[in-house]
Amino acid sequence: MLTLYIARHGQTEWNIEKRMQGWEDSKLTTLGLANAEALGEKLRDIPFQAAYVSTSGRAVDSAMAILKNRSIPIIKDDIFKEISLGSWEGKTFDDIKRNDPEMLDAYFQAPERYIPNEGGESFRQFEERVRRALGQIARKHREGNILLVTHSVFILMLLNIFKKRPIDDLWNSSYVHDTALAVAAIKENGDAVILKEGDGEHRMKQAGAAW
């Protein structure tokens, strides 16, 4: 059986500033790096066959902090990146709420009705990409332990797929704090059993929001 350990990247500067990141990027904070290292300590005895990582710098830096000097193959791929948010990226939540309130409400309350701006992904497009990402891992690994370091909405979508729920149920899972861990066992028929989600026991007390 394949066991997938799914971790969000550490807290970033834009998380503190409550800016949308998507495919754009910002650096890990000191706390974000420390939490990633703490997660690595938590997972130190798990024999990973490989680590799959979003190509965003915040995810790559988090994966390196989690794995430290462990000799584990690291596969970086754009397919594991966060949902693309187009012109929203880099803007604060308040800016978007002021200028595009209807779509922001749809984004969080009714994802099926959300219409992305230019360059962004719809949740349907994003779900298809997450499914392809999962398939990419499952085809190469029938058993063993795999680490996936990615992003909050990616993790929520992956969990939603595991739970076989419609897209509008996307947000009805445990909040994905920075470096939060989810664990899922993937059966040979493709079904998944979620063993853990939203686990942040390793995290240090936060002084700012992880958004």
Side-chain angles (χ1 to χ4, degrees):
M1 184 177 291
L2 171 64
T3 304
L4 196 57
Y5 290 76
I6 310 154
R8 184 189 176 189
H9 61 80
Q11 182 194 66
T12 69
E13 294 172 355
W14 279 10
N15 289 152
I16 292 293
E17 297 170 6
K18 296 187 177 180
R19 294 183 185 276
M20 290 285 208
Q21 290 185 111
W23 280 50
E24 291 294 324
D25 208 15
S26 66
K27 293 182 178 180
L28 295 182
T29 64
T30 300
L31 180 59
L33 181 59
N35 282 342
E37 291 173 346
L39 178 57
E41 181 64 19
K42 181 186 182 79
L43 299 176
R44 69 185 184 279
D45 295 327
I46 304 297
F48 291 116
Q49 276 66 57
Y52 288 80
V53 184
S54 159
T55 55
S56 294
R58 61 192 185 274
V60 173
D61 290 346
S62 296
M64 298 303 291
I66 291 168
L67 296 173
K68 284 194 173 179
N69 298 321
R70 297 175 66 174
S71 57
I72 294 168
I74 297 176
I75 299 94
K76 304 170 191 174
D77 197 315
D78 285 349
I79 201 170
F80 303 113
K81 291 180 78 168
E82 183 61 290
I83 186 171
S84 175
L85 297 170
S87 63
W88 280 7
E89 297 188 6
K91 293 181 179 178
T92 66
F93 179 85
D94 288 342
D95 285 340
I96 298 168
K97 186 175 182 180
R98 181 167 52 252
N99 296 313
D100 202 1
E102 184 176 345
M103 276 303 104
L104 184 64
D105 183 70
Y107 181 85
F108 286 110
Q109 303 300 327
E112 286 276 24
R113 290 195 292 104
Y114 167 72
I115 301 173
N117 48 59
E118 186 175 355
E121 289 177 291
S122 70
F123 280 100
R124 180 64 61 189
Q125 292 170 322
F126 183 54
E127 181 188 46
E128 291 173 358
R129 174 159 66 84
V130 174
R131 288 185 183 277
R132 285 189 284 111
L134 177 61
Q136 181 172 308
I137 294 173
R139 282 191 298 274
K140 293 182 179 179
H141 306 276
R142 296 292 183 182
E143 59 184 13
N145 302 303
I146 296 298
L147 176 66
L148 171 60
V149 182
T150 181
H151 307 269
S152 60
V153 187
F154 189 104
I155 293 170
L156 288 170
M157 184 62 81
L158 189 55
L159 292 173
N160 211 53
I161 291 168
F162 289 159
K163 295 173 183 178
K164 299 182 178 180
R165 301 189 313 195
I167 288 175
D168 273 347
D169 283 340
L170 173 72
W171 301 102
N172 296 327
S173 288
S174 298
Y175 182 76
V176 185
H177 290 278
D178 79 277
T179 69
L181 178 69
V183 182
I186 314 298
K187 300 178 181 179
E188 289 187 6
N189 65 1
D191 287 345
V193 177
I194 298 172
L195 306 176
K196 184 179 296 188
E197 65 177 279
D199 179 12
E201 289 183 351
H202 59 280
R203 296 167 67 248
M204 300 178 185
K205 186 176 181 180
Q206 298 227 37
W211 207 70

